Amino acid sequence: AVLYYDDGRLDSRLAYAWRDEYLPTTAGQFGASRFFKAYGQLDFSLNYKATDNLQFTFQVLNLLNEQRKEITRIPGISDLPTNILELERRVFVGLRYKL
């Protein structure tokens, strides 16, 4: 889902991406399947065109600081935590100048 605003001078974007639980490979360890749990990420960007030649940019990825979690699923046993990917929030600030 994406919300977008643009008036020619200022544009802003808020985007949410979702991926349901999935099996990345069928070759698990000792016959057990490994899954990535469902995961969502919210990103934000803002661009401001100060002049025809000068533009400021601001971007935040993974605004909610979500983690991707991997589990091992063995029949008859509860899901076992296998791995956590710390994606962390990332902030970018930029300046663009055209000659």
Side-chain angles (χ1 to χ4, degrees), residues 46-68:
L46 180 73
N47 299 297
Y48 176 69
K49 188 176 180 181
T51 68
D52 287 340
N53 298 350
L54 182 64
Q55 180 178 345
F56 298 95
T57 63
F58 176 74
Q59 185 177 32
V60 182
L61 302 178
N62 197 11
L63 192 64
L64 302 176
N65 209 23
E66 295 290 325
Q67 299 174 335
R68 285 186 55 201

PDB file of all heavy atoms in Angstrom, residues 46-68:
ATOM      1  N   LEU A  46      10.718  11.949   1.556  1.00  0.00           N
ATOM      2  CA  LEU A  46      10.290  13.327   1.363  1.00  0.00           C
ATOM      3  C   LEU A  46      11.338  14.014   0.492  1.00  0.00           C
ATOM      4  O   LEU A  46      12.538  13.914   0.773  1.00  0.00           O
ATOM      5  CB  LEU A  46      10.173  14.040   2.707  1.00  0.00           C
ATOM      6  CG  LEU A  46       9.747  15.495   2.696  1.00  0.00           C
ATOM      7  CD1 LEU A  46       8.268  15.588   2.360  1.00  0.00           C
ATOM      8  CD2 LEU A  46      10.013  16.131   4.039  1.00  0.00           C
ATOM      9  N   ASN A  47      10.895  14.671  -0.563  1.00  0.00           N
ATOM     10  CA  ASN A  47      11.787  15.420  -1.456  1.00  0.00           C
ATOM     11  C   ASN A  47      11.251  16.838  -1.594  1.00  0.00           C
ATOM     12  O   ASN A  47      10.052  17.038  -1.803  1.00  0.00           O
ATOM     13  CB  ASN A  47      11.850  14.772  -2.842  1.00  0.00           C
ATOM     14  CG  ASN A  47      12.394  13.371  -2.779  1.00  0.00           C
ATOM     15  OD1 ASN A  47      13.522  13.147  -2.396  1.00  0.00           O
ATOM     16  ND2 ASN A  47      11.566  12.401  -3.139  1.00  0.00           N
ATOM     17  N   TYR A  48      12.158  17.806  -1.479  1.00  0.00           N
ATOM     18  CA  TYR A  48      11.762  19.211  -1.601  1.00  0.00           C
ATOM     19  C   TYR A  48      12.638  19.880  -2.644  1.00  0.00           C
ATOM     20  O   TYR A  48      13.871  19.879  -2.538  1.00  0.00           O
ATOM     21  CB  TYR A  48      11.896  19.923  -0.253  1.00  0.00           C
ATOM     22  CG  TYR A  48      11.588  21.394  -0.344  1.00  0.00           C
ATOM     23  CD1 TYR A  48      10.300  21.832  -0.596  1.00  0.00           C
ATOM     24  CD2 TYR A  48      12.597  22.335  -0.194  1.00  0.00           C
ATOM     25  CE1 TYR A  48      10.019  23.184  -0.696  1.00  0.00           C
ATOM     26  CE2 TYR A  48      12.323  23.689  -0.288  1.00  0.00           C
ATOM     27  CZ  TYR A  48      11.024  24.110  -0.536  1.00  0.00           C
ATOM     28  OH  TYR A  48      10.740  25.441  -0.633  1.00  0.00           O
ATOM     29  N   LYS A  49      11.999  20.438  -3.644  1.00  0.00           N
ATOM     30  CA  LYS A  49      12.705  21.125  -4.722  1.00  0.00           C
ATOM     31  C   LYS A  49      12.765  22.617  -4.382  1.00  0.00           C
ATOM     32  O   LYS A  49      11.803  23.359  -4.591  1.00  0.00           O
ATOM     33  CB  LYS A  49      11.962  20.888  -6.038  1.00  0.00           C
ATOM     34  CG  LYS A  49      12.674  21.364  -7.251  1.00  0.00           C
ATOM     35  CD  LYS A  49      11.869  20.969  -8.497  1.00  0.00           C
ATOM     36  CE  LYS A  49      12.563  21.425  -9.751  1.00  0.00           C
ATOM     37  NZ  LYS A  49      11.781  21.065 -10.948  1.00  0.00           N
ATOM     38  N   ALA A  50      13.908  23.061  -3.827  1.00  0.00           N
ATOM     39  CA  ALA A  50      14.064  24.450  -3.395  1.00  0.00           C
ATOM     40  C   ALA A  50      14.146  25.393  -4.596  1.00  0.00           C
ATOM     41  O   ALA A  50      13.549  26.469  -4.587  1.00  0.00           O
ATOM     42  CB  ALA A  50      15.300  24.593  -2.521  1.00  0.00           C
ATOM     43  N   THR A  51      14.897  24.986  -5.618  1.00  0.00           N
ATOM     44  CA  THR A  51      15.003  25.743  -6.872  1.00  0.00           C
ATOM     45  C   THR A  51      15.001  24.728  -8.015  1.00  0.00           C
ATOM     46  O   THR A  51      14.957  23.521  -7.771  1.00  0.00           O
ATOM     47  CB  THR A  51      16.311  26.576  -6.932  1.00  0.00           C
ATOM     48  OG1 THR A  51      17.424  25.684  -7.030  1.00  0.00           O
ATOM     49  CG2 THR A  51      16.458  27.472  -5.717  1.00  0.00           C
ATOM     50  N   ASP A  52      15.109  25.203  -9.237  1.00  0.00           N
ATOM     51  CA  ASP A  52      15.178  24.282 -10.376  1.00  0.00           C
ATOM     52  C   ASP A  52      16.430  23.417 -10.323  1.00  0.00           C
ATOM     53  O   ASP A  52      16.464  22.332 -10.892  1.00  0.00           O
ATOM     54  CB  ASP A  52      15.144  25.051 -11.701  1.00  0.00           C
ATOM     55  CG  ASP A  52      13.761  25.605 -12.012  1.00  0.00           C
ATOM     56  OD1 ASP A  52      12.779  25.092 -11.442  1.00  0.00           O
ATOM     57  OD2 ASP A  52      13.674  26.540 -12.831  1.00  0.00           O
ATOM     58  N   ASN A  53      17.458  23.887  -9.633  1.00  0.00           N
ATOM     59  CA  ASN A  53      18.733  23.166  -9.579  1.00  0.00           C
ATOM     60  C   ASN A  53      19.003  22.464  -8.251  1.00  0.00           C
ATOM     61  O   ASN A  53      19.900  21.640  -8.172  1.00  0.00           O
ATOM     62  CB  ASN A  53      19.891  24.122  -9.857  1.00  0.00           C
ATOM     63  CG  ASN A  53      19.820  24.728 -11.237  1.00  0.00           C
ATOM     64  OD1 ASN A  53      19.012  24.316 -12.064  1.00  0.00           O
ATOM     65  ND2 ASN A  53      20.646  25.703 -11.498  1.00  0.00           N
ATOM     66  N   LEU A  54      18.278  22.809  -7.204  1.00  0.00           N
ATOM     67  CA  LEU A  54      18.584  22.310  -5.854  1.00  0.00           C
ATOM     68  C   LEU A  54      17.408  21.534  -5.260  1.00  0.00           C
ATOM     69  O   LEU A  54      16.288  22.038  -5.205  1.00  0.00           O
ATOM     70  CB  LEU A  54      18.941  23.480  -4.935  1.00  0.00           C
ATOM     71  CG  LEU A  54      19.343  23.155  -3.511  1.00  0.00           C
ATOM     72  CD1 LEU A  54      20.629  22.335  -3.484  1.00  0.00           C
ATOM     73  CD2 LEU A  54      19.506  24.433  -2.708  1.00  0.00           C
ATOM     74  N   GLN A  55      17.702  20.308  -4.830  1.00  0.00           N
ATOM     75  CA  GLN A  55      16.667  19.457  -4.234  1.00  0.00           C
ATOM     76  C   GLN A  55      17.204  18.812  -2.953  1.00  0.00           C
ATOM     77  O   GLN A  55      18.335  18.330  -2.917  1.00  0.00           O
ATOM     78  CB  GLN A  55      16.240  18.367  -5.209  1.00  0.00           C
ATOM     79  CG  GLN A  55      15.177  17.452  -4.663  1.00  0.00           C
ATOM     80  CD  GLN A  55      14.747  16.404  -5.678  1.00  0.00           C
ATOM     81  OE1 GLN A  55      15.024  16.511  -6.865  1.00  0.00           O
ATOM     82  NE2 GLN A  55      14.066  15.392  -5.205  1.00  0.00           N
ATOM     83  N   PHE A  56      16.385  18.814  -1.911  1.00  0.00           N
ATOM     84  CA  PHE A  56      16.709  18.160  -0.643  1.00  0.00           C
ATOM     85  C   PHE A  56      15.911  16.862  -0.543  1.00  0.00           C
ATOM     86  O   PHE A  56      14.742  16.816  -0.929  1.00  0.00           O
ATOM     87  CB  PHE A  56      16.355  19.059   0.548  1.00  0.00           C
ATOM     88  CG  PHE A  56      17.124  20.342   0.578  1.00  0.00           C
ATOM     89  CD1 PHE A  56      16.589  21.496   0.041  1.00  0.00           C
ATOM     90  CD2 PHE A  56      18.396  20.382   1.127  1.00  0.00           C
ATOM     91  CE1 PHE A  56      17.294  22.691   0.060  1.00  0.00           C
ATOM     92  CE2 PHE A  56      19.117  21.564   1.148  1.00  0.00           C
ATOM     93  CZ  PHE A  56      18.567  22.722   0.617  1.00  0.00           C
ATOM     94  N   THR A  57      16.530  15.812  -0.020  1.00  0.00           N
ATOM     95  CA  THR A  57      15.848  14.527   0.133  1.00  0.00           C
ATOM     96  C   THR A  57      16.006  14.008   1.555  1.00  0.00           C
ATOM     97  O   THR A  57      17.025  14.242   2.211  1.00  0.00           O
ATOM     98  CB  THR A  57      16.400  13.467  -0.845  1.00  0.00           C
ATOM     99  OG1 THR A  57      17.771  13.224  -0.549  1.00  0.00           O
ATOM    100  CG2 THR A  57      16.274  13.919  -2.280  1.00  0.00           C
ATOM    101  N   PHE A  58      14.979  13.306   2.011  1.00  0.00           N
ATOM    102  CA  PHE A  58      14.978  12.689   3.332  1.00  0.00           C
ATOM    103  C   PHE A  58      14.248  11.356   3.192  1.00  0.00           C
ATOM    104  O   PHE A  58      13.174  11.290   2.598  1.00  0.00           O
ATOM    105  CB  PHE A  58      14.257  13.586   4.342  1.00  0.00           C
ATOM    106  CG  PHE A  58      14.124  12.987   5.707  1.00  0.00           C
ATOM    107  CD1 PHE A  58      15.220  12.898   6.548  1.00  0.00           C
ATOM    108  CD2 PHE A  58      12.907  12.510   6.150  1.00  0.00           C
ATOM    109  CE1 PHE A  58      15.099  12.347   7.809  1.00  0.00           C
ATOM    110  CE2 PHE A  58      12.777  11.951   7.407  1.00  0.00           C
ATOM    111  CZ  PHE A  58      13.879  11.876   8.243  1.00  0.00           C
ATOM    112  N   GLN A  59      14.851  10.292   3.716  1.00  0.00           N
ATOM    113  CA  GLN A  59      14.252   8.961   3.572  1.00  0.00           C
ATOM    114  C   GLN A  59      14.483   8.154   4.846  1.00  0.00           C
ATOM    115  O   GLN A  59      15.577   8.185   5.416  1.00  0.00           O
ATOM    116  CB  GLN A  59      14.894   8.263   2.379  1.00  0.00           C
ATOM    117  CG  GLN A  59      14.295   6.934   2.042  1.00  0.00           C
ATOM    118  CD  GLN A  59      14.934   6.330   0.803  1.00  0.00           C
ATOM    119  OE1 GLN A  59      16.111   6.533   0.524  1.00  0.00           O
ATOM    120  NE2 GLN A  59      14.158   5.583   0.055  1.00  0.00           N
ATOM    121  N   VAL A  60      13.442   7.436   5.268  1.00  0.00           N
ATOM    122  CA  VAL A  60      13.544   6.522   6.406  1.00  0.00           C
ATOM    123  C   VAL A  60      13.035   5.161   5.953  1.00  0.00           C
ATOM    124  O   VAL A  60      11.889   5.029   5.522  1.00  0.00           O
ATOM    125  CB  VAL A  60      12.722   6.992   7.627  1.00  0.00           C
ATOM    126  CG1 VAL A  60      12.906   6.031   8.785  1.00  0.00           C
ATOM    127  CG2 VAL A  60      13.093   8.399   8.036  1.00  0.00           C
ATOM    128  N   LEU A  61      13.896   4.146   6.025  1.00  0.00           N
ATOM    129  CA  LEU A  61      13.517   2.772   5.695  1.00  0.00           C
ATOM    130  C   LEU A  61      13.293   2.004   6.985  1.00  0.00           C
ATOM    131  O   LEU A  61      14.018   2.206   7.963  1.00  0.00           O
ATOM    132  CB  LEU A  61      14.611   2.096   4.866  1.00  0.00           C
ATOM    133  CG  LEU A  61      14.964   2.781   3.550  1.00  0.00           C
ATOM    134  CD1 LEU A  61      16.101   2.036   2.864  1.00  0.00           C
ATOM    135  CD2 LEU A  61      13.761   2.870   2.647  1.00  0.00           C
ATOM    136  N   ASN A  62      12.302   1.135   6.999  1.00  0.00           N
ATOM    137  CA  ASN A  62      11.931   0.347   8.174  1.00  0.00           C
ATOM    138  C   ASN A  62      11.611   1.268   9.355  1.00  0.00           C
ATOM    139  O   ASN A  62      12.160   1.146  10.442  1.00  0.00           O
ATOM    140  CB  ASN A  62      13.021  -0.666   8.536  1.00  0.00           C
ATOM    141  CG  ASN A  62      12.520  -1.747   9.463  1.00  0.00           C
ATOM    142  OD1 ASN A  62      11.323  -1.882   9.699  1.00  0.00           O
ATOM    143  ND2 ASN A  62      13.439  -2.521  10.006  1.00  0.00           N
ATOM    144  N   LEU A  63      10.701   2.169   9.117  1.00  0.00           N
ATOM    145  CA  LEU A  63      10.306   3.183  10.096  1.00  0.00           C
ATOM    146  C   LEU A  63       9.902   2.585  11.445  1.00  0.00           C
ATOM    147  O   LEU A  63      10.202   3.149  12.497  1.00  0.00           O
ATOM    148  CB  LEU A  63       9.154   4.006   9.509  1.00  0.00           C
ATOM    149  CG  LEU A  63       8.750   5.282  10.204  1.00  0.00           C
ATOM    150  CD1 LEU A  63       9.873   6.289  10.159  1.00  0.00           C
ATOM    151  CD2 LEU A  63       7.511   5.861   9.545  1.00  0.00           C
ATOM    152  N   LEU A  64       9.250   1.431  11.434  1.00  0.00           N
ATOM    153  CA  LEU A  64       8.782   0.802  12.675  1.00  0.00           C
ATOM    154  C   LEU A  64       9.814  -0.134  13.302  1.00  0.00           C
ATOM    155  O   LEU A  64       9.531  -0.791  14.297  1.00  0.00           O
ATOM    156  CB  LEU A  64       7.479   0.039  12.406  1.00  0.00           C
ATOM    157  CG  LEU A  64       6.343   0.889  11.834  1.00  0.00           C
ATOM    158  CD1 LEU A  64       5.136   0.023  11.506  1.00  0.00           C
ATOM    159  CD2 LEU A  64       5.974   2.000  12.793  1.00  0.00           C
ATOM    160  N   ASN A  65      11.006  -0.222  12.689  1.00  0.00           N
ATOM    161  CA  ASN A  65      12.115  -1.019  13.226  1.00  0.00           C
ATOM    162  C   ASN A  65      11.743  -2.502  13.387  1.00  0.00           C
ATOM    163  O   ASN A  65      12.031  -3.122  14.404  1.00  0.00           O
ATOM    164  CB  ASN A  65      12.595  -0.425  14.548  1.00  0.00           C
ATOM    165  CG  ASN A  65      14.052  -0.703  14.800  1.00  0.00           C
ATOM    166  OD1 ASN A  65      14.824  -0.953  13.880  1.00  0.00           O
ATOM    167  ND2 ASN A  65      14.450  -0.674  16.049  1.00  0.00           N
ATOM    168  N   GLU A  66      11.104  -3.063  12.348  1.00  0.00           N
ATOM    169  CA  GLU A  66      10.685  -4.466  12.383  1.00  0.00           C
ATOM    170  C   GLU A  66      11.868  -5.417  12.184  1.00  0.00           C
ATOM    171  O   GLU A  66      12.890  -5.026  11.618  1.00  0.00           O
ATOM    172  CB  GLU A  66       9.648  -4.725  11.293  1.00  0.00           C
ATOM    173  CG  GLU A  66       8.349  -3.974  11.482  1.00  0.00           C
ATOM    174  CD  GLU A  66       7.539  -4.474  12.641  1.00  0.00           C
ATOM    175  OE1 GLU A  66       7.559  -5.685  12.907  1.00  0.00           O
ATOM    176  OE2 GLU A  66       6.867  -3.651  13.285  1.00  0.00           O
ATOM    177  N   GLN A  67      11.705  -6.647  12.635  1.00  0.00           N
ATOM    178  CA  GLN A  67      12.722  -7.686  12.461  1.00  0.00           C
ATOM    179  C   GLN A  67      12.147  -8.811  11.605  1.00  0.00           C
ATOM    180  O   GLN A  67      10.950  -9.079  11.662  1.00  0.00           O
ATOM    181  CB  GLN A  67      13.113  -8.293  13.809  1.00  0.00           C
ATOM    182  CG  GLN A  67      13.709  -7.332  14.781  1.00  0.00           C
ATOM    183  CD  GLN A  67      13.930  -7.998  16.135  1.00  0.00           C
ATOM    184  OE1 GLN A  67      13.269  -8.961  16.479  1.00  0.00           O
ATOM    185  NE2 GLN A  67      14.874  -7.468  16.886  1.00  0.00           N
ATOM    186  N   ARG A  68      13.012  -9.457  10.831  1.00  0.00           N
ATOM    187  CA  ARG A  68      12.598 -10.659  10.098  1.00  0.00           C
ATOM    188  C   ARG A  68      13.018 -11.858  10.926  1.00  0.00           C
ATOM    189  O   ARG A  68      14.181 -11.985  11.295  1.00  0.00           O
ATOM    190  CB  ARG A  68      13.239 -10.707   8.722  1.00  0.00           C
ATOM    191  CG  ARG A  68      12.598  -9.740   7.764  1.00  0.00           C
ATOM    192  CD  ARG A  68      13.103  -9.867   6.365  1.00  0.00           C
ATOM    193  NE  ARG A  68      12.953 -11.231   5.876  1.00  0.00           N
ATOM    194  CZ  ARG A  68      13.649 -11.720   4.860  1.00  0.00           C
ATOM    195  NH1 ARG A  68      14.538 -10.985   4.251  1.00  0.00           N
ATOM    196  NH2 ARG A  68      13.462 -12.952   4.458  1.00  0.00           N
TER     197      ARG A  68
END
